[in-house]
Amino acid sequence: MQALETVIVTGYAKAPQGTSMYEMYKHAGIVLEVDLRDHKIIGAEFTFVTELTKNYFQKLLIGYCLQDGVEQLIKRIQSFYFAPSQQAIIVALQAAVQRYWDNVKQMNT
């Protein structure tokens, strides 16, 4: 079996009503693949409707080191994503990052 040096972590939040995200999914979801050695995001997927938005968010997140804190990622989203689902995406991201650190801490104890 192949040894893995990455983990998958997810986060979800309720999507804002009246958006296509809400109509299709009812929630905003984020899936991150994070390298356990350096805590960098190496893959990201979202419950966005359009491929353009999915690809854009990958550019925003991939390569970011979670040790630098979630605040900078939130600022990037606020600075470059102007849509009704902005806050839901931020909440989902915060949930995923918190889940990551909770599990990393548990793995190291």
Side-chain angles (χ1 to χ4, degrees):
M1 188 178 323
Q2 181 181 0
L4 297 175
E5 296 173 340
T6 64
V7 294
I8 294 288
V9 62
T10 63
Y12 299 93
K14 184 178 179 187
Q17 290 185 342
T19 64
S20 54
M21 180 186 288
Y22 179 82
E23 296 304 320
M24 290 185 71
Y25 304 116
K26 305 291 186 237
H27 67 274
I30 186 169
V31 180
L32 302 174
E33 182 179 6
V34 182
D35 190 315
L36 287 168
R37 296 167 296 180
D38 60 10
H39 310 289
K40 285 188 180 176
I41 298 170
I42 63 168
E45 289 195 17
F46 314 89
T47 56
F48 292 120
V49 175
T50 67
E51 288 300 315
L52 177 62
T53 310
K54 291 176 186 180
N55 294 337
Y56 191 80
F57 259 80
Q58 287 177 338
K59 289 190 280 188
L60 282 175
L61 273 63
I62 291 176
Y64 186 81
C65 180
L66 294 179
Q67 285 181 310
D68 293 335
V70 73
E71 296 80 18
Q72 290 302 315
L73 281 180
I74 291 170
K75 286 180 185 176
R76 285 178 62 91
I77 292 168
Q78 291 170 332
S79 297
F80 297 104
Y81 180 62
F82 309 137
S85 58
Q86 182 190 80
Q87 190 57 38
I89 295 301
I90 290 169
V91 170
L93 174 65
Q94 289 172 314
V97 171
Q98 183 63 51
R99 183 170 288 120
Y100 174 75
W101 287 120
D102 288 349
N103 282 279
V104 166
K105 182 180 176 182
Q106 188 176 26
M107 291 167 57
N108 292 328
T109 57

